Amino acid sequence: MATSTPHRTLADQLRAWPDERLARLLTARPDLASPAPQDTGQLASRAGVRSSLLAATEQLDRTELAVLEALVVLGPQSAAALRDVVHAAPERVDAALERLLDLALAWGDSDQVRALSAVGDGFAPGSPGSSGLRAAVSPDGLPPAAERLAEASPEAVTLLRHLDEHGGEGTSAGGEGTPAGELIARRLVLPRENGTVVLPADVAVALRGGHTTADAVDEPPAVITAERTAELVDRAAAGAAFEAVRRTSLLLETWGSQPPNVLRAGGLGVRDLKAAATLLQVAESEAALLIEVASRAGLLGPTTGPTGDQVWAPTDGFDRWERLSVAEQWRALARAWLESPRLPGLVGTKDRAGKTWNALVPELASRYAAETRRMTLELMGELPEGQVLASGTGVPSLVSRLAWLRPRRPGPRADLAGWAVSESAHLGVTALGGLSSPARALLAGDSERAATLLEPLLPAPVDQVLLQADLTAVAPGPLEPSVARRLHDVADVESRGGATVHRFTQASVRRALDAGWTAAEVHDFVGSVSRTPVPQALAYLVDDVARTHGSIKVGHAESFVRADDEAALAGLLHHPRASSLELRRIAPTVLVSTLPPELLLPRLRELGAAPVVESPDGTMHVTRPEVVRARGRRPVADGAERARQSAQVGAVVAAVRAGDRATASRPTTASARLTPAETLARLSEAAEAGLSVWIGYVDNHGTASERIVEPRRVDGGQLTAYDHRSEDLRGFAIHRITAVRPVRPGS
C-alpha cells in the first residue's frame, strides 16, 4: 500500500482523493451516490451507515474479510503488522487492504489503518466469514499474549484451545489450582459479570500461531474438472442455442393467437405452463426458463386480450426479433438471461407458506441472481483450456469457490449456482460443463462478436422437406421460418432432433382448410417444398378432406346446422354422442341447436364431422385466429447502461466537489446553527477518528445543555456516545443536537 499523508478523518481522506478514485468508490457502492451527497463530509457520514457497510462487505472475498476483521478485533494496525497477523501472502494482504481503502471500509495510511466503527457489527462470532475472534484484548501492562501462553500448563492450553474452537466464550466453574483458574490468573481469559469468560483476540491470535486464522485465507478451493475440447463444447452449445431460439419462437407464435390469461396476482397459471411444456416437448422447468427469458428480453408482456381480460402475449419487439438471424436472436436471449434478476429455478417449488411459485410473478426475483450467474460463468471461463466442470463433483466444487469469493453473500448460493449452470446449458451458453466461445465474448461485453462466433456453428436452414409414403415429411435441418410456419398449418410435429418429422393427418389438413387454405393451395405448397415426388396417399388425403370439408354448415340461429346431404344430417342427429348437442330437425336439410356456434363447432368435429361457419349471405366464413400483441420495451444497446452509470457517477463527483468548495468558503461563526447533514458529518468524523466533541443539546423538555462526548456510533438518526458528565454511554437524538465543535487536546 502506498504511503500517504496522514488524515485526521475519513472525510479528509476522501477529500484528498482524485476524482477517478472517488468515482470508483461511488461505482462500487452505488447507494452512496443516491441522492447525491452535499459534500465530502456527508459522503463520509453516509459511508459509515450500517446498512451501507453490510452491503459493501458482501462484495469482499475471504482474504479481504480476514484483513478487515483483523482491523476490527485488534484495532488500528500498520500495513506491516497486518502482513504478519493475517494468514496470507504479503502481496495478497496489501491488495486486500488497498481494496478496503477503495471501498471506504477502512481509512488511514500505511502507519495506521483503522476500520470504520460500525463495521464491527458484522463480525460477531458465527457470522459468515468470521474467524470467531472477539473484539476484546488483554488489559494494558501485561506481558505479550505469546509469553503468557508459553508459561501456561498443557492442561490450561488444551482448555484454551477448546474454548477457541467453540466460539471464544464459556462459563467459568474452576477455582484456584484448576486449569480454568490458571487461565483467569494469567489473564488468558477475561471474566465477565455474568459468570462467563471471554477469550481475548490477542490471546486467540497467539494460540493460532500468530495469525487471526489457523488456515491460510488466500487459497481458494479448487474446482474439479474433466477434459473436453473447446470445439466439442462449442458445437454442443450451438445446438442448444438453436433449440432455445426455435422453441421460444414457437411458443410466442402460439401465444400470439392463443394467449394465456394473467393470474389475478400476476404471473402464469400452472396449467398454462404445463401446456407450454407439452407444446415445446420439454420439462416444465425449461419451459419456465424460456418464458422468463422471453419476458426479460422484451418479447413477452401483459396486455388486454380480445375478451377484455389481461393476457400474456408477444410484444411488438417479437416481430422485430423474428426478422433477425438465429445468432442475433440467441444473443438477445442470452444477454437478457445474463442480466436478469429473475429466478426461474424456483418455478414449481413451494414458498415458506406452502404456496407454489408461478412463472412471471413479480416476487420471483433476487438482487443477487445476476451477479451469481455472471460469477459462475466467469469461473467456468477461468478453467484451463480443454477443461470443463467434472460431472457430479464439478458444480459442488464451483459452489465452494463462490463461497470463498463471497463469504457474506446471503441467499441459497448453492441453488443459484446450480441454476446458473443448468440454465446456461439449456440456452446454449455452456455445454458439457464448459463455457462456449460465443459466451466468452458475451461476458466480455462484446455481443456483436458473440453472434459472429455463433453464426458458423449453427446448422444452415433448409427450405425443402422429404415427403414419405407414410404421410410424413422429414426436414433434414432447421427450416426457414416462413416454410416452417406454413408447414405447421398443414402438418403436426411428430418428433424433433437432428431431423424434424411432420405428419399429415385428417385433422391437420382440416386445420389448414379452416384457416382459409384451398385444396389446390395445399397441393401446390407440398409440391413446392418437397424434394421428392408427392406420394399418392398424401394427394388422396388432401382431396378426401377437402371433399367433406364444408358439407355441413353451422350458422347463428342460436345455432343451425345445414347440409345438402339429408343422410349426413340424419346420421349426425342419431349419433350416440349427439345428445349433448341438443339438435332437432326443422327441415330435411336443417338442424338447429341451443348451443352457440363457438361450442357447437368443436363438438361436431369431435364426432368426426368437418363443419364450417356459414355467413349471413350463405357463403363460407373463414375464421382466422386473431393475433394479439403487447407493448414491449426497447432493448438497451451494448454499453448504453454503462455509459449512463458513468455519467451519473461523474455528475455526483462534480456535485461533491462543488459542495466542498461551498463549505470551505462559508463563513464560520460560533453561533451558526448546523444543518442536519453537517451535524451528522461532524459526528461521524469524530466517531471514526476517536475524538471528543462539544455538543449543544436540547432534551425532550426543551432544556438546553452543553456536553463533552466521545462519539462511538452514528446510525438511524441516533448518536451513541460516552458522556463525560454522566460517565456512561448514552444516546442522543441527532435532530436535537444544535451545535458540534471539536475539543482541543488538554481542554
Side-chain angles (χ1 to χ4, degrees):
M1 184 185 72
T3 303
S4 58
T5 304
H7 299 288
R8 190 175 63 90
T9 64
L10 173 62
D12 289 341
Q13 179 167 289
L14 296 180
R15 200 172 290 117
W17 278 6
D19 289 353
E20 294 78 8
R21 191 172 186 183
L22 199 60
R24 289 203 305 269
L25 169 64
L26 297 175
T27 302
R29 297 178 63 179
D31 57 294
L32 303 182
S34 181
Q38 295 180 3
D39 53 23
T40 307
Q42 189 179 34
L43 175 62
S45 174
R46 195 177 293 176
V49 175
R50 183 174 182 271
S51 58
S52 178
L53 290 173
L54 292 178
T57 56
E58 290 177 1
Q59 305 178 38
L60 304 180
D61 63 27
R62 184 69 186 90
T63 308
E64 293 159 352
L65 275 176
V67 174
L68 184 60
E69 184 180 28
L71 293 173
V72 168
V73 299
L74 300 178
Q77 301 285 313
S78 66
L82 287 173
R83 296 187 199 104
D84 293 335
V85 77
V86 177
H87 201 165
E91 61 274 11
R92 188 66 182 91
V93 174
D94 288 343
L97 183 56
E98 192 68 25
R99 176 159 168 75
L100 296 179
L101 294 172
D102 284 343
L103 290 174
L105 295 172
W107 62 279
D109 56 16
S110 59
D111 294 330
Q112 187 182 59
V113 184
R114 63 172 69 222
L116 269 66
S117 57
V119 170
D121 295 341
F123 282 100
S127 60
S130 172
S131 65
L133 294 178
R134 294 184 171 269
V137 294
S138 301
D140 295 335
L142 293 176
E147 294 182 10
R148 287 178 282 142
L149 193 62
E151 297 171 353
S153 65
E155 294 79 6
V157 173
T158 300
L159 180 60
L160 202 60
R161 292 189 184 279
H162 177 79
L163 184 65
D164 184 30
E165 293 170 358
H166 291 79
E169 183 175 359
T171 58
S172 174
E176 186 176 353
T178 64
E182 180 184 355
L183 294 177
I184 295 175
R186 295 185 183 280
R187 308 295 282 173
L188 291 172
V189 294
L190 302 179
R192 293 291 185 254
E193 295 180 355
N194 56 3
T196 61
V197 292
V198 174
L199 178 65
D202 55 326
V203 177
V205 168
L207 196 64
R208 298 175 183 183
H211 299 300
T212 55
T213 57
D215 300 323
V217 294
D218 60 342
E219 298 176 0
V223 178
I224 302 175
T225 62
E227 292 186 2
R228 286 285 192 281
T229 64
E231 293 78 12
L232 183 60
V233 169
D234 286 349
R235 288 199 301 269
F242 177 82
E243 284 299 307
V245 170
R246 182 188 63 79
R247 287 177 174 134
T248 302
S249 178
L250 174 61
L251 176 69
L252 296 181
E253 282 182 1
T254 303
W255 281 6
S257 57
Q258 304 170 32
N261 288 335
V262 178
L263 296 178
R264 183 175 301 177
L268 181 72
V270 174
R271 290 183 179 178
D272 294 319
L273 177 61
K274 290 182 178 179
T278 302
L279 172 68
L280 303 181
Q281 296 183 337
V282 297
E284 291 181 27
S285 58
E286 186 174 351
L289 169 65
L290 296 177
I291 292 168
E292 288 282 355
V293 171
S295 174
R296 178 66 183 180
L299 308 179
L300 176 68
T303 189
T304 303
T307 61
D309 296 329
Q310 285 289 105
V311 296
W312 293 107
T315 65
D316 47 8
F318 169 68
D319 297 318
R320 295 189 295 271
W321 180 80
E322 279 278 79
R323 294 191 290 269
L324 301 174
S325 67
V326 175
E328 292 171 328
Q329 290 175 330
W330 172 82
R331 177 185 62 186
L333 296 179
R335 279 186 56 198
W337 171 78
L338 187 61
E339 301 167 358
S340 173
R342 306 287 297 171
L343 299 174
L346 279 179
V347 175
T349 63
K350 303 285 186 180
D351 61 12
R352 294 180 179 179
K355 183 179 178 182
T356 301
W357 284 106
N358 294 93
L360 299 177
V361 292
E363 299 82 8
L364 198 71
S366 170
R367 64 190 180 96
Y368 304 112
E371 185 193 33
T372 302
R373 196 175 291 131
R374 177 173 286 274
M375 290 181 64
T376 300
L377 296 183
E378 287 175 346
L379 286 176
M380 295 176 69
E382 293 172 1
L383 297 178
E385 186 176 357
Q387 298 291 313
V388 298
L389 292 179
S391 177
T393 57
V395 174
S397 66
L398 187 71
V399 172
S400 299
R401 175 69 70 89
L402 285 173
W404 186 91
L405 289 171
R406 294 291 185 270
R408 298 183 66 83
R409 182 54 51 85
R413 183 185 295 106
D415 290 339
L416 290 175
W419 292 336
V421 173
S422 62
E423 290 168 8
S424 63
H426 289 316
L427 294 174
V429 176
T430 65
L432 306 176
L435 190 66
S436 68
S437 298
R440 292 176 190 272
L442 193 68
L443 281 177
D446 192 352
S447 62
E448 293 290 341
R449 185 167 181 269
T452 302
L453 291 173
L454 180 63
E455 190 73 46
L457 299 172
L458 295 171
V462 298
D463 58 1
Q464 290 189 315
V465 296
L466 304 175
L467 293 179
Q468 309 289 322
D470 61 350
L471 299 180
T472 60
V474 179
L479 287 170
E480 292 281 0
S482 59
V483 176
R485 281 193 291 269
R486 299 193 69 192
L487 186 60
H488 182 69
D489 285 343
V490 297
D492 298 322
V493 176
E494 187 170 80
S495 65
R496 302 183 188 275
T500 305
V501 178
H502 298 76
R503 178 169 293 279
F504 295 91
T505 64
Q506 288 187 354
S508 67
V509 175
R510 187 183 302 124
R511 181 175 66 237
L513 298 179
D514 288 341
W517 291 55
T518 64
E521 288 174 337
V522 175
H523 284 303
D524 291 342
F525 170 70
V526 296
S528 65
V529 300
S530 177
R531 291 183 181 179
T532 58
V534 177
Q536 193 176 40
L538 177 57
Y540 285 166
L541 174 66
V542 174
D543 291 338
D544 287 344
V545 174
R547 188 178 301 112
T548 60
H549 186 264
S551 62
I552 298 178
K553 301 176 177 61
V554 174
H556 300 273
E558 177 69 17
S559 293
F560 68 86
V561 182
R562 185 178 67 82
D564 296 333
D565 187 353
E566 296 183 21
L569 283 185
L572 186 63
L573 183 64
H574 297 92
H575 195 284
R577 292 188 295 161
S579 59
S580 63
L581 304 182
E582 302 179 9
L583 296 172
R584 64 187 180 91
R585 187 191 295 269
I586 61 173
T589 58
V590 181
L591 302 178
V592 294
S593 172
T594 59
L595 298 181
E598 56 268 19
L599 292 181
L600 185 59
L601 275 171
R603 293 190 182 182
L604 287 175
R605 287 168 180 160
E606 290 175 0
L607 299 183
V612 295
V613 176
E614 188 176 50
S615 61
D617 60 0
T619 60
M620 184 174 65
H621 178 65
V622 177
T623 58
R624 290 182 174 87
E626 182 179 354
V627 176
V628 182
R629 286 292 183 267
R631 176 168 301 201
R633 55 183 179 85
R634 288 282 182 178
V636 179
D638 285 354
E641 181 64 20
R642 292 191 296 273
R644 184 182 64 83
Q645 293 176 352
S646 297
Q648 289 179 342
V649 168
V652 173
V653 171
V656 169
R657 297 307 191 199
D660 288 343
R661 291 192 295 271
T663 301
S665 61
R666 183 185 304 149
T668 57
T669 61
S671 60
R673 185 178 179 87
L674 299 176
T675 65
E678 291 171 333
T679 301
L680 197 63
R682 292 192 182 185
L683 292 174
S684 297
E685 290 178 3
E688 299 303 336
L691 302 175
S692 297
V693 294
W694 172 93
I695 64 172
Y697 189 72
V698 179
D699 61 18
N700 294 334
H701 303 288
T703 303
S705 61
E706 298 179 355
R707 298 173 181 270
I708 302 294
V709 299
E710 295 178 10
R712 300 293 174 83
R713 181 182 303 170
V714 181
D715 193 19
Q718 190 81 2
L719 166 67
T720 302
Y722 179 80
D723 185 5
H724 285 238
R725 176 180 298 177
S726 61
E727 295 185 345
D728 195 8
L729 284 175
R730 61 163 296 181
F732 300 89
I734 292 178
H735 70 279
R736 294 184 176 276
I737 298 177
T738 59
V740 180
R741 289 200 297 270
V743 176
R744 296 178 181 177
S747 61

